[in-house]
Structure formats: C-alpha cells, structure tokens
Amino acid sequence: MSERNLQSNESVSAKAGREEGAMNRAGERLYNGIVKENPTFVLMLGMCPTLAVTTSAINGLGMGLTTLVVLALSNLPNRVRIPAFIVIIASFVTVVQLLLEAYRPDLNKALGVYIPLIVVNCIILGRAESYSYSNPPIPSLFDGIGMGMGFTVALTCIGLVGELLGAGKAFGFKITPDSFEPVRIFAQAPGAFFVLAALVAVQNYVKAAGERAGKDTSKIGSGCSHDCMNCSEKGCAQRFYDNEKEE
C-alpha cells in the first residue's frame, strides 16, 4: 500500500513538474518574441509592412494583430517544408482578410495589399522554418504568439509616435494643443524610417547604459546564432527539445 502511495505521489510530482516546465517554456517563448528577438527592433524583419502601414497607431495595431493570428496558427503544424508552409499560411491569411472585409472594412482598406503580402512575410516563414519545424506544437504556438506580440508592440509604437508628431493625435483622438504644429512627414510612410531609427537608438542606449551600470543586458537583442554547442543560453527551448529527443 505504501509503495502504491509512493508511486502515486511521484506521478503527481512528475506531472506538476512537467506542467511547471511547460509554463516556463511558454513564458520564455513570449518574452523571447517581445524582447530578446523582437522581429522589428532586434531582427529587423518585415520592414516592408512596418514602414508602409505605420502612419497611425490604429493601422500599426491592426497589422500587428493580423500578423499575430497568422503567426500563431501557422506555427502549429510541424515537420513540413516551405511549399506546405506557403499553403497553410495563405489559407489563414485568406480567412483573416475575409473577416476584416466583413467586420472592419475601414481597417482592411487602410492596410490594403499588405494583408495578402503576409503570406510571404519573412517573419512568418522564418519562424515556421527555424522553430516550429523542429519543436512540438504547443511551444511553437507560444513562439508564434510571442513573435506576433513583439511585432504588434513595435508597429503600434511606431504608428503612435508617427501619428502624435505628424497629426497631434493618438489612436485618432487629438491630444495636443491647438498651438502644436504637426510635422506632416511623420504621418506618412517615409516618416516611419525616422521613428524606427529613433526607437532602435533608444533601445541601444538603454542596453549600453545597463552594461555601463554592470547589469546583464545580453538577453536584450541577443537573437540566435544557431551555434548550440557554444551557446550560453541555458533556457533555450530549441536546445531543450533537442536534448529531450536525444534522451
């Protein structure tokens, strides 16, 4: 009887450990997409829609959320190659575009051709190929959500700053005094270049200031070198699963 109870307790402990490990890996994937490997501020991927649609915070938020949905869903299937990725991603993009046409035609019109171009967005193809291909569906789902959240945050920030400087508004609401003279270029696509450069400069300044203060800022903008043998990142989910497969 005592042996049975001991086995039962071990089973419960093992299950709790697996659940805790799964939550930690999910949190690591979200943090990775938003901070460590932010697709816009760190990896500099998807620059075409980033610079083209971020003329306002609403446009940036809409494009980011649309990409988030496609990223999360297209990261679920694993062990498939580029031709299959294209078909899967195109299917989800079509569904999202039809939903936008039905419920948010104004946003669909503002984003225009950049919604269909999500199909060949290097962020989505890159994550599908580099992460979801070699990892289980659940971590891949959270990796897609994390990358999508990072992309959404980046586009919303760029659009918000551009809208504030170029129109004196935030999410369509005027918040500056009448004496404020907008700089019109920031309300246009070329202004996104300046805003992106300024935000990346702020990120680099914060990282450099942290390094001077003796703080470990290596996880900010570290990216992945894919050199697992010499990598010091102990919490790398990809290496974790590779080790698990070897065992």
Side-chain angles (χ1 to χ4, degrees):
M1 189 71 176
S2 59
E3 291 182 359
R4 186 177 301 175
N5 291 336
L6 181 61
Q7 291 177 353
S8 177
N9 292 336
E10 290 177 350
S11 176
V12 171
S13 299
K15 183 178 179 181
R18 287 195 298 270
E19 290 177 352
E20 182 179 357
M23 291 300 295
N24 290 337
R25 290 192 295 274
E28 185 269 337
R29 286 292 89 199
L30 295 177
Y31 176 79
N32 180 79
I34 298 172
V35 179
K36 286 176 62 180
E37 295 184 20
N38 185 287
T40 301
F41 295 139
V42 176
L43 302 181
M44 294 294 175
L45 298 176
M47 288 292 101
C48 182
T50 297
L51 299 175
V53 305
T54 51
T55 54
S56 70
I58 290 293
N59 287 357
L61 180 63
M63 186 69 190
L65 291 177
T66 302
T67 306
L68 187 157
V69 172
V70 177
L71 254 172
L73 296 177
S74 61
N75 261 21
L76 283 173
N78 60 352
R79 299 296 178 187
V80 294
R81 302 303 295 178
I82 289 295
F85 284 142
I86 294 291
V87 174
I88 294 168
I89 294 167
S91 301
F92 289 128
V93 169
T94 301
V95 171
V96 171
Q97 186 174 20
L98 291 174
L99 290 173
L100 285 175
E101 288 180 357
Y103 297 103
R104 288 300 306 271
D106 55 335
L107 182 59
N108 180 70
K109 184 178 179 181
L111 299 180
V113 71
Y114 295 101
I115 297 177
L117 284 178
I118 292 175
V119 175
V120 290
N121 191 310
C122 53
I123 301 172
I124 295 174
L125 290 175
R127 296 317 294 177
E129 179 69 11
S130 67
Y131 192 86
S132 68
Y133 175 74
S134 56
N135 288 283
I138 298 303
S140 297
L141 171 65
F142 280 97
D143 180 76
I145 294 174
M147 281 287 168
M149 290 174 65
F151 192 59
T152 302
V153 169
L155 263 63
T156 304
C157 288
I158 295 172
L160 180 61
V161 174
E163 186 180 11
L164 185 62
L165 297 176
K169 298 180 179 180
F171 292 96
F173 297 99
K174 187 170 179 61
I175 61 173
T176 57
D178 294 335
S179 59
F180 176 76
E181 186 65 32
V183 184
R184 297 299 179 186
I185 191 173
F186 286 106
Q188 302 171 7
F193 277 104
F194 300 107
V195 177
L196 175 62
L199 293 177
V200 171
V202 170
Q203 174 189 263
N204 292 339
Y205 174 79
V206 171
K207 184 175 180 180
E211 290 175 348
R212 287 195 298 270
K215 297 179 180 179
D216 180 17
T217 59
S218 59
K219 290 188 175 183
I220 301 178
S222 60
C224 177
S225 63
H226 300 289
D227 184 11
C228 296
M229 183 176 293
N230 300 312
C231 179
S232 60
E233 181 57 62
K234 301 300 183 183
C236 177
Q238 184 165 340
R239 185 168 59 184
F240 177 89
Y241 283 112
D242 288 344
N243 293 340
E244 194 173 57
K245 290 172 186 175
E246 290 175 3
E247 293 173 0

